[in-house]
Amino acid sequence: MTASIPIAAPEERVLILDFGSQYAQLIARRVREAGVYSLLVRPDLSAAEVAAQKPAGIILSGGPSSVTDAGAPRCDPAIFSLGIPVLGVCYGMQLTAHTLGSLVEGAKSREYGRAQIDLVAESELLHGIPAHATVWMSHGDQVRELPLGFRVLASTPTCPFAAVADPSRHLYGVQFHPEVTHTPHGMEILRNFLFRVCRCRGSWRMADFVDTECARIRARVGSSRVLCGLSGGVDSSVVAALLHKAIGRQLVCIFVDNGLLRANERDLVESTFRDHFDIDLRVIDAGREFLGDLAGIEEPQEKRRRIGHRFIDVFKHAAKGIEGDVRFLAQGTLYPDVIESGQGHAGTAANIKLHHNVGGLPEDLGFELVEPLRSLFKDEVRQLGEVLGLPAHIVWRHPFPGPGLAVRCLGEVREDRLRILRDCDEILLEEIVAADLYRKTDQVFAVLLPIRSVGVMGDGRTYDSVVALRAVTTQDFMTADWARLPHEVLATVSSRLINEVKGVNRVVYDISSKPPATIEWE
């Protein structure tokens, strides 16, 4: 499934053909950071479909396949004859050579990690790059001979064709990954491709996205009304602000108090969106229904599925009382949600977890979906929120899962366990803010584990709950590292949780990175 191309999309844009690389989304982000609008698209688009988008350039991503495999993903060979500049990255370079009739074979040993390239020729692509530069390699195949018209730009002792070009046809290839931070001059290489090869102006900004998306929303919605499920998190808040700008009072926001919220969540949402934006906000008390659905349920995917279904039932019921033609349901789906739900562009992404806003929805939904953030990453959503004038305490809020505390309450979800988790979450965030760590971390939360442990309080034996603390840093939430919180902060949090939250006698800290772990535990 590919991201839909916005109506009246920016005139200057680059298409990225996604061959299943774990870094394809990172390429898209890097291009946008340079001020050029980018779109991830299916790798099998025809040359005519590509040409119709009038891109300034085309980037072929890496991928896990070998071009010599029978089922390996391919692109339309005619793409290389369009006269549009093409940059092949890793698999994309190998595919370019293979498609143009050259030999690609398995290397003697897989090359993974840092390597040093030596520049052997001047070029627009590597302009200003040091003669000896560090790059990040990750490949098992190599190009063994160059297509007619190509020349070598850079090499390594084990990779003679580390960077190649046919300037007359505007075709370029690099065996390494310029998009990752492990390639120090990678952004310069991408900028060279965008500005020296593709002749881009780099004038795209998030404000352009606002204008483009508002036009797309108005064209699609017409005079109909749109329901927006408002949770108070960054994503749904930005969706609400964007829709309000696009269609004004045609928007109706539904805030569902599902009994799975953080402390004071309802008050924050009501004050922000009724007072700050004057949005038509309807608040629904449905905690009893949600908790009833979750009674006795421990399996994470089933929790998400039931919560997703209940949300839809609530929306359907709420829509009956709203005047006008209510046809659309808006959601804050982001690109990482799409990828993790196995709906990536190349169809190669694994289904890691079921997001209630991209999977598990009943077929008789009754609404058409509006997902204006579907092609954006979290950092871009925050930029969008600032452009739209959302207050900083909303824009910079840490993410909170759609299913709420249900997926941080491992095991059965009950009122007594939610009380423990809610109190722990509030204390943890208080201390993170007090230590000036909130903006230095990207997601911090507590998890109530489905186990108990022995402890001693005073002179008595306890047998109470275990709470795990999770804090991560990340750029795009596709990958994340555990945050190195100061020991004194962890000690203060642990002491407060055990002394102030009845039912907790042990605190542990999660030091897992993503991958292999996910950020949330469920």
Side-chain angles (χ1 to χ4, degrees):
M1 182 177 293
T2 61
S4 59
I5 296 173
I7 292 173
E11 178 184 348
E12 181 179 85
R13 56 190 179 274
V14 167
L15 299 185
I16 301 163
L17 273 60
D18 182 0
F19 292 95
S21 169
Q22 60 180 320
Y23 302 131
Q25 301 80 36
L26 188 54
I27 298 175
R29 291 184 67 248
R30 295 288 184 251
V31 172
R32 292 185 191 182
E33 287 169 6
V36 179
Y37 189 70
S38 62
L39 283 170
L40 280 161
V41 298
R42 299 193 325 270
D44 59 351
L45 285 183
S46 69
E49 290 174 305
V50 169
Q53 299 305 320
K54 299 180 181 178
I58 301 166
I59 298 178
L60 310 182
S61 83
S65 303
S66 169
V67 296
T68 59
D69 292 343
R74 301 275 195 264
C75 64
D76 185 343
I79 285 174
F80 300 107
S81 302
L82 292 174
I84 300 170
V86 176
L87 172 63
V89 175
C90 196
Y91 179 88
M93 170 181 163
Q94 296 163 11
L95 181 61
T96 300
H98 180 78
T99 303
L100 297 178
S102 290
L103 180 64
V104 177
E105 290 182 336
K108 292 182 179 179
S109 60
R110 177 178 172 82
E111 195 168 20
Y112 183 84
R114 289 181 174 84
Q116 180 177 283
I117 59 169
D118 301 313
L119 273 60
V120 299
E122 293 185 358
S123 68
E124 297 283 20
L125 184 68
L126 302 182
H127 177 80
I129 305 302
H132 310 288
T134 299
V135 299
W136 183 262
M137 294 283 191
S138 178
H139 63 95
D141 291 350
Q142 283 189 12
V143 176
R144 293 301 183 188
E145 60 183 36
L146 293 182
L148 187 65
F150 276 76
R151 59 189 176 92
V152 182
L153 304 180
S155 63
T156 76
T158 57
C159 183
F161 305 134
V164 301
D166 180 350
S168 65
R169 289 189 286 174
H170 312 295
L171 304 180
Y172 295 81
V174 291
Q175 184 57 73
F176 53 89
H177 288 273
E179 69 274 22
V180 301
T181 55
H182 301 306
T183 300
H185 296 280
M187 194 63 190
E188 295 172 53
I189 294 171
L190 289 175
R191 289 178 65 87
N192 282 341
F193 177 70
L194 295 172
F195 301 121
R196 301 183 70 90
V197 177
C198 301
R199 304 296 180 184
C200 292
R201 298 182 303 277
S203 58
W204 183 80
R205 298 293 182 268
M206 188 54 69
D208 299 322
F209 180 88
V210 172
D211 294 339
T212 296
E213 198 60 27
C214 283
R216 188 191 74 83
I217 291 168
R218 284 192 290 267
R220 183 176 178 203
V221 169
S223 60
S224 297
R225 305 205 75 183
V226 179
L227 287 182
C228 176
L230 186 58
S231 70
V234 179
D235 305 337
S236 67
S237 297
V238 172
V239 167
L242 181 62
L243 285 165
H244 182 63
K245 181 177 179 64
I247 59 175
R249 298 296 288 185
Q250 289 173 241
L251 171 68
V252 181
C253 287
I254 305 293
F255 178 76
V256 179
D257 187 345
N258 58 10
L260 305 169
L261 304 175
R262 291 171 288 195
N264 305 315
E265 188 78 13
R266 178 169 172 171
D267 292 341
L268 175 66
V269 170
E270 290 193 82
S271 63
T272 298
F273 289 91
R274 280 198 176 130
D275 301 341
H276 186 82
F277 280 102
D278 191 29
I279 284 176
D280 185 355
L281 175 64
R282 318 286 176 95
V283 178
I284 300 173
D285 288 298
R288 182 177 299 177
E289 291 84 349
F290 277 89
L291 292 178
D293 291 341
L294 294 171
I297 302 301
E298 298 184 3
E299 206 280 319
Q301 300 288 64
E302 183 62 16
K303 286 182 186 178
R304 289 178 178 270
R305 190 191 68 81
R306 290 187 177 218
I307 291 169
H309 278 251
R310 177 59 64 178
F311 262 112
I312 298 304
D313 290 342
V314 169
F315 279 128
K316 284 183 176 180
H317 180 74
K320 293 177 181 178
I322 297 173
E323 60 281 0
D325 176 24
V326 183
R327 290 177 49 203
F328 296 92
L329 172 64
Q331 295 186 147
T333 309
L334 304 190
Y335 193 67
D337 299 335
V338 177
I339 294 298
E340 287 193 340
S341 298
Q343 299 181 32
H345 301 284
T348 57
N351 190 332
I352 299 169
K353 61 187 178 185
L354 182 66
H355 289 265
H356 80 277
N357 52 352
V358 287
L361 297 175
E363 293 183 2
D364 59 341
L365 178 62
F367 301 106
E368 296 180 44
L369 289 181
V370 176
E371 299 175 303
L373 311 183
R374 190 179 176 88
S375 64
L376 298 184
F377 295 90
K378 180 66 75 172
D379 58 328
E380 294 176 319
V381 173
R382 295 192 195 281
Q383 293 175 32
L384 180 57
E386 290 181 325
V387 170
L388 291 167
L390 278 167
H393 68 269
I394 292 289
V395 172
W396 293 101
R397 276 193 111 186
H398 288 183
F400 187 64
L405 295 178
V407 294
R408 293 178 180 174
C409 184
L410 274 58
E412 186 177 4
V413 181
R414 302 192 310 265
E415 284 278 14
D416 60 325
R417 302 190 75 225
L418 287 171
R419 187 268 308 166
I420 292 173
L421 180 56
R422 193 173 284 116
D423 290 348
C424 290
D425 178 78
E426 186 173 21
I427 290 171
L428 171 61
L429 291 179
E430 281 179 4
E431 292 300 328
I432 291 296
V433 171
D436 194 27
L437 293 171
Y438 193 81
R439 290 283 292 271
K440 298 173 184 176
T441 52
D442 296 292
Q443 196 164 353
V444 179
F445 56 91
V447 179
L448 183 62
L449 304 185
I451 57 174
R452 292 192 292 171
S453 71
V454 173
V456 177
M457 289 189 179
D459 295 324
R461 174 186 182 274
T462 62
Y463 189 54
D464 284 330
S465 298
V466 180
V467 171
L469 308 181
R470 180 73 157 145
V472 301
T473 57
T474 179
Q475 285 189 328
D476 55 18
F477 290 86
M478 296 296 293
T479 62
D481 194 13
W482 59 278
R484 274 63 171 177
L485 297 182
H487 289 178
E488 58 269 23
V489 174
L490 290 173
T492 300
V493 172
S494 177
S495 177
R496 286 195 63 189
L497 295 186
I498 292 173
N499 284 285
E500 297 179 32
V501 181
K502 185 178 180 180
V504 174
N505 70 355
R506 190 177 300 271
V507 178
V508 298
Y509 188 50
D510 182 349
I511 59 171
S512 308
S513 296
K514 174 187 179 180
T518 55
I519 294 176
E520 296 284 347
W521 278 47
E522 287 191 346

